[in-house]
Amino acid sequence: MKNFLKYTLVALAGSSLGLTSCGLDEYNPHAGNETIDSFETWKGLTTYCYSPLTTQLYSVYDFLSVAEGGTDMWLCPSGNRDYAKQLIYYDGLTTNTNASNKLFKQAYSAIAWCNSVVANADKVQDGTEEEKAKIVAEAKTLRAFYNLILVTYYGPVTLTTEEVGNINTSPVRSTIEDFYAAIITDLKEAAAALDNNPVDGNYARVTKKTALGIMARAYAQGAGEGLQEDGKSYWQRAREVAEDMIVNSASYNMYLYDNIDDLWAQENNRNNKEALFIASGANTTIPDFKNGNYTKNNLFTYTICNPNKLTDLYTRTDKTNYYLGRTNNATFAPSQYSIDVFDTSWDRRWENTFMTAFGMFSMTNPDYQWIGPYTGSNTCVTLTPPLIKKYGIDTKFTGKKIYPYVDMTVVEGGAFNQYVPDGVWPKGETTGDRANLVQVKNVYVIDYPVDLDDNRFVIVMSKEGRTAEQKAESSYFTINIDDLFGSSEYSTEYKTEEFDGTNSNQLYPSLIKFNWCYNGSWGSALNTKNGEVMIMRTAEIYLIAAEACQQLGDAAAAARHLEPLRNRAARVGTTAPALGTVTEDVILDEYAREMAGELNRWALLKRHHAFETRLPKYNKRAAAFFNPDKHYVRPISADFLNQIDNKDQYGDNGYGTTPGKGF
């Protein structure tokens, strides 16, 4: 452990035994022959503490499927019915299921780096004590975060202080109580040392509000285990931390947007004022990223459907879609509950969460007319008699054109071409006069409901049921969302067969929180976007405060904490309805509206012991496979079990590859 090179070699080895580093594919700070007593060398180790946030957890499908799959909110769509079925439905989930296997190793790998930073602080001979204290506090915050992942998803595994390169081939499990005590201790110490200013002014690094936010989350999660601290329940502690952050938000530099549209505005994605903790994506306006040494985030390709499944109507293929990006995976679709939980009459979180209208795009910038003129066949759809008949559109629209919705252009000069909106065309536009373009905050947020006379969309999904006669009154193809559900096997599943003579059953309302469209967000190909993912944001603190109050029997206080979130989501001219008595179901519903897809649903249902009550209603396929004796924890990594000497004693959490659970 004397030479930094040892860290480098271990990280690049790509595998390990026991509880230690398993390799991180990330930038490696070179140190030559410098030793660990150099402040800059030691500080550089924190790169590895942060690395899995961006390179793995919040950029690829694995953690999303673990953290959101197997809940009441998400299903596999018709076109990919069995994709990741192990985690979405508990169907065949075992120790070698790739996503849960990887998550286990990634968490322990990062913890080893955090341990190395903490353990070697006293050896650093330069740098001020304040500087060193902040670096240690960063490492403790991140260590607590990864330990919280482990204890939440895997239960009583092993608390480890092993550094990178040290190997323990006979690990012993720790208790749930020990895990949470260690997590809370790390976070209290970190919060005391950190302030509101991130190290080096880098907003991707953790600060005091990060440590406090994770502490509130940890108390809430531990409350589901029935834990106490100094005679107080963890629910009480969660309430105290969350309410302190809300009351003293200014002193923690914590911010809540007044308008939900601003939260998800494209221009606010980087350095979002509501973010408490982020996974930072590469800014590809920087030419140096051209060499490919950057994380390629492709989460959006899994969460958005492919409108080109109706290829005669939506004619732009995913390989040349400079507006949506490449929609080639389409594996993660909302349940009917996720849709029904929104009241679209007032709640604008609906269209800030799900995209339900699909239109074409134009490129009228004289320098970048790559796809033809504004009124060309590549940008407009002409409603021919066969299309009219197939899609149930009134014959009065025969020969009419559906015009582009958004106008895209190209920005050159960075690592890769960037495809950015020049604006959207107003409803009724037919001339293509660029002076008529309108600026919007997010080109994926389509005002709901879409007017019947809107001439910019070819496909519109309606939350409210429309009759055939009502559908015919618009020039776009209307899909009743409810009609997509009700397969022959499970009534809560998407239909696997056509029901209206089209491929509409392969479409679904599409989560857009991971789809970015601004200068610096596009990668080397159309299936890569590189925005910032908010691991935790201010709204969650309000939700935790409300949740804790409800659990403690103070429904009135719970309502007070939910009201700011609901009020800022209300459409212009509307008011959020009064909540009434806040019950546990009200809390779970409000989490669904506010935090859909933000990698916390499974943990939420776990701490409320709600799988048995909610899966039979909203995800019947998952309910058919869910076994409460084992599925309240994910399986232990098969790779890990095969690399230790005592796997039979350690156990696999009850998944049948070892004699017992191990706890």
Side-chain angles (χ1 to χ4, degrees):
M1 211 45 136
K2 293 181 179 179
N3 195 300
F4 179 78
L5 183 60
K6 182 172 183 180
Y7 292 98
T8 305
L9 293 176
V10 172
L12 296 180
S15 64
S16 68
L17 293 175
L19 300 176
T20 184
S21 171
C22 71
L24 296 172
D25 180 17
E26 181 53 89
Y27 165 72
N28 179 38
H30 293 289
N33 292 320
E34 293 184 59
T35 59
I36 199 67
D37 58 10
S38 162
F39 176 77
E40 290 302 321
T41 301
W42 171 73
K43 176 183 172 183
L45 296 183
T46 58
T47 298
Y48 291 103
C49 301
Y50 285 96
S51 179
L53 300 176
T54 297
T55 61
Q56 290 291 328
L57 300 185
Y58 295 92
S59 63
V60 296
Y61 188 70
D62 299 322
F63 188 34
L64 180 67
S65 67
V66 173
E68 293 283 341
T71 70
D72 50 358
M73 291 193 69
W74 305 103
L75 309 171
C76 295
S78 176
N80 279 298
R81 190 171 181 275
D82 288 334
Y83 192 90
K85 66 179 182 178
Q86 298 88 347
L87 289 156
I88 303 298
Y89 301 116
Y90 306 97
D91 183 357
L93 180 61
T94 187
T95 57
N96 61 7
T97 297
N98 188 53
S100 56
N101 191 358
K102 286 174 62 177
L103 176 63
F104 186 90
K105 296 187 295 180
Q106 288 158 2
Y108 271 119
S109 174
I111 288 169
W113 287 105
C114 296
N115 290 340
S116 292
V117 172
V118 174
N120 287 282
D122 291 341
K123 300 175 185 177
V124 178
Q125 296 179 6
D126 52 342
T128 68
E129 291 304 311
E130 182 181 4
E131 288 174 325
K132 289 190 287 186
K134 283 189 176 182
I135 299 299
V136 169
E138 283 187 90
K140 287 183 176 180
T141 301
L142 293 166
R143 181 169 67 182
F145 173 74
Y146 296 122
N147 273 324
L148 183 58
I149 286 178
L150 287 173
V151 73
T152 298
Y153 294 101
Y154 301 96
V157 284
T158 302
L159 270 173
T160 178
T161 57
E162 298 289 348
E163 299 180 48
V164 173
N166 295 344
I167 297 170
N168 178 5
T169 59
S170 298
V172 176
R173 286 184 181 253
S174 305
T175 66
I176 294 289
E177 291 80 2
D178 287 344
F179 254 97
Y180 279 98
I183 290 166
I184 297 301
T185 296
D186 267 352
L187 292 170
K188 286 181 176 178
E189 292 175 356
L194 292 168
D195 55 34
N196 295 335
N197 300 310
V199 171
D200 297 333
N202 184 343
Y203 68 84
R205 303 183 82 124
V206 302
T207 60
K208 183 185 290 288
K209 64 185 178 184
T210 314
L212 292 172
I214 298 172
M215 190 188 303
R217 182 188 283 183
Y219 275 131
Q221 199 65 40
E225 305 284 353
L227 299 182
Q228 293 187 340
E229 180 185 77
D230 298 333
K232 289 186 178 182
S233 76
Y234 264 34
W235 284 124
Q236 180 62 37
R237 291 302 197 198
R239 177 179 184 172
E240 291 169 358
V241 175
E243 288 186 336
D244 171 68
M245 293 183 74
I246 293 168
V247 172
N248 299 297
S249 58
S251 65
Y252 297 128
N253 196 28
M254 189 174 83
Y255 185 84
L256 187 76
Y257 283 102
D258 294 330
N259 187 318
I260 196 67
D261 288 356
D262 291 328
L263 171 66
W264 299 112
Q266 295 286 334
E267 69 176 8
N268 291 334
N269 176 248
R270 295 202 187 275
N271 205 9
N272 190 288
K273 291 194 291 185
E274 190 163 314
L276 304 180
F277 185 22
I278 69 166
S280 181
N283 184 341
T284 46
T285 60
I286 302 171
D288 288 348
F289 284 114
K290 187 173 290 186
N291 63 10
N293 188 22
Y294 73 101
T295 294
K296 301 171 179 63
N297 192 318
N298 64 1
L299 278 178
F300 84 95
T301 72
Y302 292 94
T303 62
I304 190 169
C305 71
N306 184 358
N308 189 241
K309 293 296 182 181
L310 278 60
T311 187
D312 54 353
L313 200 59
Y314 193 93
T315 57
R316 177 57 54 183
T317 66
D318 61 2
K319 292 183 179 180
T320 58
N321 198 322
Y322 303 110
Y323 164 45
L324 295 180
R326 190 172 182 186
T327 57
N328 61 322
N329 283 320
T331 60
F332 191 75
S335 67
Q336 201 160 9
Y337 163 74
S338 296
I339 294 159
D340 291 345
V341 75
F342 288 93
D343 180 350
T344 56
S345 69
W346 69 269
D347 197 343
R348 194 161 164 79
R349 287 176 294 190
W350 165 252
E351 58 259 55
N352 275 279
T353 301
F354 295 118
M355 187 175 186
T356 56
F358 296 88
M360 301 294 287
F361 64 97
S362 58
M363 298 180 80
T364 62
N365 184 322
D367 296 326
Y368 299 104
Q369 293 180 339
W370 293 0
I371 61 171
Y374 170 75
T375 57
S377 60
N378 285 329
T379 56
C380 290
V381 174
T382 300
L383 295 176
T384 62
L387 289 178
I388 291 284
K389 181 179 180 180
K390 181 177 180 179
Y391 291 105
I393 300 169
D394 196 285
T395 55
K396 68 183 179 182
F397 294 110
T398 303
K400 297 292 185 182
K401 289 182 180 293
I402 299 178
Y403 291 87
Y405 164 67
V406 63
D407 194 59
M408 302 296 293
T409 191
V410 182
V411 177
E412 298 181 284
F416 317 105
N417 284 339
Q418 299 293 300
Y419 311 106
V420 299
D422 265 350
V424 302
W425 300 106
K427 186 185 76 171
E429 173 66 26
T430 61
T431 68
D433 184 349
R434 289 174 56 81
N436 294 333
L437 287 168
V438 177
Q439 299 304 310
V440 296
K441 295 177 180 180
N442 189 332
V443 291
Y444 302 130
V445 174
I446 311 298
D447 290 339
Y448 188 90
V450 175
D451 292 336
L452 289 176
D453 63 347
D454 202 309
N455 65 335
R456 302 169 298 169
F457 301 101
V458 291
I459 303 165
V460 172
M461 301 179 198
S462 178
K463 197 169 175 298
E464 296 72 37
R466 294 184 183 176
T467 66
E469 292 74 21
Q470 290 171 323
K471 291 179 181 180
E473 287 305 304
S474 59
S475 60
Y476 50 77
F477 172 45
T478 303
I479 303 170
N480 288 333
I481 296 173
D482 283 351
D483 290 343
L484 298 173
F485 295 93
S487 73
S488 58
E489 188 173 2
Y490 296 107
S491 61
T492 55
E493 287 288 289
Y494 283 89
K495 291 176 180 173
T496 56
E497 63 284 338
E498 292 182 5
F499 60 88
D500 59 3
T502 78
N503 284 332
S504 65
N505 65 298
Q506 296 192 45
L507 305 185
Y508 53 87
S510 299
L511 182 71
I512 55 173
K513 291 180 176 179
F514 305 120
N515 209 356
W516 304 293
C517 190
Y518 59 84
N519 189 19
S521 65
W522 291 81
S524 58
L526 294 181
N527 63 348
T528 300
K529 303 286 187 80
N530 300 289
E532 318 282 22
V533 178
M534 286 184 279
I535 299 171
M536 193 171 197
R537 58 185 177 88
T538 301
E540 187 178 345
I541 301 302
Y542 282 78
L543 288 165
I544 290 171
E547 180 186 7
C549 288
Q550 187 277 323
Q551 289 290 305
L552 292 167
D554 193 346
R560 288 196 298 272
H561 292 309
L562 294 179
E563 284 167 357
L565 305 182
R566 293 165 61 85
N567 290 341
R568 70 166 181 172
R571 301 182 186 283
V572 174
T574 71
T575 302
L579 275 165
T581 302
V582 175
T583 64
E584 184 174 59
D585 279 341
V586 169
I587 294 292
L588 297 180
D589 289 349
E590 207 60 45
Y591 264 99
R593 298 181 190 104
E594 184 69 32
M595 306 294 291
E598 296 184 51
L599 290 89
N600 64 17
R601 190 66 180 182
W602 194 90
L604 178 70
L605 295 191
K606 175 179 178 174
R607 67 181 181 248
H608 286 274
H609 308 278
F611 293 109
E612 294 95 325
T613 56
R614 296 184 76 85
L615 294 182
K617 291 191 290 186
Y618 306 124
N619 188 347
K620 292 182 184 293
R621 185 175 170 190
F625 292 97
F626 184 82
N627 179 352
D629 290 336
K630 65 179 179 179
H631 287 141
Y632 268 92
V633 286
R634 301 307 202 180
I636 301 298
S637 159
D639 292 341
F640 165 77
L641 291 172
N642 291 333
Q643 293 171 337
I644 62 176
D645 297 332
N646 61 333
K647 75 174 185 178
D648 285 348
Q649 292 76 32
Y650 198 89
D652 67 356
N653 280 357
Y655 283 82
T657 64
T658 61
K661 285 186 176 183
F663 65 92

